[in-house]
Every structure is written in structure tokens, then in C-alpha cells.
Amino acid sequence: MRIVKYPHPILRYKCKPLRKIDQTIRDIVQEMFDLMYETQGVGLAANQVDLPYQLIVINPTGDAQQKDKEVVLINPIILKLRGNEEGEEGCLSFPDMRLIVPRARECKFQAIDLKGQVVNYHWKGFDARIVQHETDHLSGVSFFQHAVASNGDLETQLLKLQVKFKEDLKNGLEPTEEQFLESVKKWEEERA
């Protein structure tokens, strides 16, 4: 498992609801948490690891030792947003990029947990920012699309990532559009 980088096509993909929670999904969740901690993140959406499903892992502390802070969100739905504030965000799919992004200060949402139970949440501040960032990923929206400021020239930063992706594509390190679509089709057939 690896984190895909912009402009990988799956980052624009509208993820499908997850219909079945089994040991495969539990294993994927553990791998996602491990990768998130390894890369010093606080949240990770499934499409960031090349999986086309509505699945998010979050630990606002970013500390692997604080397992009690881990949250798994399956098929999350934002119910209500309140307030507005700007804050700095980074994204594991956009290395070294820091942007100022407006988000709601409070977020009420619902998701299914790993036990298959529907859980309601009401998060504020940084936690609310994380869930909004990650649910955007599941809709194929990246944080730069909301940004009002950056730590450098945004266009130049995105161009550098595009050039790197094209080099990796040419060297067979990234999937072609056809390979990506075939991978999505396979996953959808396996999870149906």
C-alpha cells in the first residue's frame, strides 16, 4: 500500500459506498493507519491509497501510541456545517504543500464504524477540519480547490507534481488511465 500523489486519476474519482465489512476491510484499515502514521498524517481517505471506496481513517493526534483516538469512518455523510474559519492544511497526496483553506468550524456527520454500526458525530475545530478534508477526497475534491492562499506559487507547485507524475507514468511507476479503470472495475466486482 502506498499513498498516491496528485494528479493520480483516483484523486478525482467519486468513491463508491462500501457495502461489506469483512476481514479484508479490517486489514486495509490497519494498513491505512500504519501508512498514515509512517507519513506523519492525521487522516487518510481510501482513494489516497488507490481504493475507490468511502472509507477514512483519522487520528487527530497523529500519534500511533494513542489508539483510543483512532476513528474509522465508512460511508460518511456530512449532515450540518456551522461557522467558518481559515486554517492551514497539508495533504499526503500533495507533498510539501501547505495551503490556507476555509472550513466550517463545526461539523455534524454520520458514518458506519468497523462493527457495522451507524454513529453520529459532532466535531469542532481541528477535528472538524480533518473530516471535511477527508470527505472531500471521497468526492474527488482536493484541498487546493478550496485554498485561498499557499506557502508558494500554487500553480508552480501543482505543475511540479504533474511533471513528476508524468515521469513516473513513463517509467511504469504509476498506472495508465486504462490500468486505473481496470483496477476500479476489479475492486467493484470483488466488493459487490
Side-chain angles (χ1 to χ4, degrees):
M1 184 176 285
R2 69 184 177 87
I3 294 173
V4 299
K5 305 294 191 286
Y6 174 84
H8 191 292
I10 200 160
L11 295 174
R12 296 184 313 274
Y13 185 79
K14 189 170 173 83
C15 295
K16 304 279 193 234
L18 194 56
R19 304 263 182 237
K20 183 168 64 172
I21 302 169
D22 55 15
Q23 191 56 47
T24 300
I25 295 302
R26 288 182 194 89
D27 292 344
I28 286 169
V29 163
Q30 188 55 59
E31 280 187 73
M32 287 175 67
F33 271 120
D34 292 345
L35 185 57
M36 183 188 81
Y37 293 130
E38 178 185 314
T39 55
Q40 301 176 348
V42 294
L44 189 60
N47 58 337
Q48 289 183 274
V49 293
D50 204 16
L51 300 175
Y53 288 100
Q54 293 181 15
L55 170 65
I56 297 169
V57 299
I58 294 174
N59 182 337
T61 70
D63 183 352
Q65 303 305 310
Q66 294 190 40
K67 299 286 186 199
D68 62 317
K69 301 293 185 189
E70 292 182 347
V71 180
V72 177
L73 305 174
I74 298 168
N75 305 337
I77 300 169
I78 292 182
L79 303 172
K80 186 174 184 179
L81 299 171
R82 194 169 128 199
N84 190 31
E85 62 185 9
E86 291 182 356
E88 187 178 73
E89 294 183 19
C91 182
L92 298 174
S93 293
F94 294 78
D96 304 319
M97 190 180 291
R98 305 295 295 176
L99 305 176
I100 302 300
V101 180
R103 298 277 185 195
R105 204 172 25 254
E106 294 183 41
C107 181
K108 288 185 180 183
F109 63 100
Q110 185 177 79
I112 299 169
D113 66 14
L114 269 181
K115 296 176 186 170
Q117 303 297 311
V118 175
V119 181
N120 289 298
Y121 300 88
H122 182 183
W123 287 1
K124 297 178 181 179
F126 184 60
D127 297 1
R129 178 171 293 280
I130 297 168
V131 77
Q132 291 171 76
H133 178 111
E134 300 304 336
T135 55
D136 271 356
H137 273 302
L138 300 182
S139 297
V141 176
S142 295
F143 78 138
F144 77 89
Q145 294 170 272
H146 297 298
V148 294
S150 72
N151 64 341
D153 177 30
L154 181 58
E155 295 300 320
T156 301
Q157 291 173 336
L158 292 174
L159 184 59
K160 284 180 184 177
L161 290 170
Q162 291 168 352
V163 168
K164 171 78 168 104
F165 184 82
K166 284 180 182 176
E167 286 174 16
D168 289 348
L169 187 64
K170 183 179 174 183
N171 294 325
L173 301 173
E174 292 292 348
T176 63
E177 190 78 25
E178 295 77 24
Q179 291 168 325
F180 162 70
L181 293 172
E182 186 60 38
S183 172
V184 168
K185 181 180 174 187
K186 179 182 171 220
W187 260 96
E188 288 175 350
E189 288 171 357
E190 288 175 3
R191 307 307 306 165

